[in-house]
């Protein structure tokens, strides 16, 4: 049997909805908020604009504002972007929410639980070993490769550690594309860096 992978399978991690925000509510003990349908508020102060993304507590429904742009000159806005803020463009809501600078500035993290899926081709792995799989991310969903691979192949996590060769740590979350190889039998070295 050749040691070169016979098959290259594409796996895609896709967002199914916007993630929740891990953000403490000022009115109740909840630490979770949602963007709901996604709304911006644009406020003019002379020739300066403030833009906020509105979020709502999942428990008490209190609305809070996340600062997107603050006291920015009107001329500094791309006209299409400003229009997107005014009409609550869903793609602009998503790209704004997923911007790590917004999360840092407003002190929240994203909770991706139940907000993504793994799309894999239906191919029998019984015929050609080893098998190479390329994982790509449409959005920055942080996943542990070991869990993702176990889910995609229907293997236990222990079996993943024995049968997978990967150049990134399997137990450390990533949202960057990676490739791994599945062998027919247990391998001596599961992954580099683990």
């Amino acid at each position: 049997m050749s040691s070169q992978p016979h098959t290259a399978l594409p796996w895609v991690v896709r967002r199914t909805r916007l993630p929740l925000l891990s953000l403490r509510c000022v009115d109740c003990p909840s630490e979770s908020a949602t963007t709901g349908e996604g709304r911006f508020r644009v406020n003019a102060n002379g020739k300066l604009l403030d833009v906020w993304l509105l979020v709502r507590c999942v428990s008490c429904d209190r609305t809070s504002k996340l600062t997107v742009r603050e006291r920015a000159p009107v001329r500094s806005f791309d006209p299409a972007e400003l229009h997107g803020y005014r009409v609550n463009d869903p793609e602009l809501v998503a790209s704004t929410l997923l911007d790590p600078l917004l999360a840092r500035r407003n002190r929240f993290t994203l909770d991706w639980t139940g907000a993504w899926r793994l799309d894999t081709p239906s191919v029998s792995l019984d015929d050609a070993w080893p098998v190479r799989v390329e994982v790509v991310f449409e959005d920055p969903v942080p996943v542990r490769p070991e869990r993702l691979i176990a889910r995609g192949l229907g293997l236990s996590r222990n079996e993943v550690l024995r049968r997978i060769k990967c150049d990134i740590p399997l137990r450390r979350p990533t949202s960057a594309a990676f490739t791994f190889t599945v062998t027919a039998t247990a391998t001596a070295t599961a992954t580099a860096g683990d």
Side-chain angles (χ1 to χ4, degrees):
M1 179 177 72
S2 167
S3 64
Q4 289 300 312
H6 294 289
T7 308
L9 301 177
W11 284 11
V12 182
V13 176
R14 288 193 167 90
R15 173 170 48 93
T16 55
R17 64 167 171 79
L18 288 176
L20 294 176
L21 294 80
S22 295
L23 181 69
R24 185 178 303 270
C25 180
V26 296
D27 283 352
C28 78
S30 176
E31 294 187 14
S32 192
T34 178
T35 56
E37 296 297 309
R39 289 180 41 229
F40 291 104
R41 179 171 293 159
V42 180
N43 185 40
N45 184 359
K47 293 184 179 181
L48 301 176
L49 293 180
D50 293 309
V51 179
W52 298 284
L53 179 62
L54 302 181
V55 297
R56 190 174 30 82
C57 173
V58 297
S59 295
C60 72
D61 229 22
R62 183 187 196 282
T63 299
S64 300
K65 300 182 293 189
L66 303 177
T67 301
V68 177
R69 300 278 297 270
E70 195 169 34
R71 300 187 57 79
V74 175
R75 278 180 263 144
S76 70
F77 286 84
D78 174 271
E81 179 185 34
L82 186 55
H83 177 73
Y85 290 136
R86 289 188 169 137
V87 300
N88 300 310
D89 177 83
E91 286 304 312
L92 187 56
V93 170
S95 65
T96 301
L97 180 63
L98 300 179
D99 182 349
L101 294 175
L102 181 78
R104 264 196 300 273
R105 186 171 41 242
N106 290 279
R107 298 184 179 149
F108 69 86
T109 58
L110 296 175
D111 176 1
W112 285 95
T113 306
W116 63 276
R117 73 174 189 256
L118 174 63
D119 289 342
T120 62
S122 55
V123 174
S124 172
L125 297 180
D126 295 333
D127 302 330
W129 295 101
V131 176
R132 196 179 91 226
V133 178
E134 297 169 351
V135 182
V136 296
F137 293 76
E138 287 189 346
D139 287 289
V141 181
V143 295
R144 284 177 56 171
E146 136 192 70
R147 291 182 180 166
L148 185 78
I149 295 166
R151 181 183 195 170
L153 296 176
L155 301 174
S156 71
R157 294 206 318 243
N158 282 337
E159 197 171 359
V160 166
L161 294 175
R162 285 192 313 270
R163 294 183 56 190
I164 300 301
K165 287 187 177 182
C166 188
D167 59 356
I168 65 168
L170 292 176
R171 293 180 173 152
R172 191 173 304 143
T174 186
S175 57
F178 66 95
T179 302
F180 66 90
T181 302
V182 188
T183 60
T185 57
T187 59
T189 305
T191 180
D194 241 359

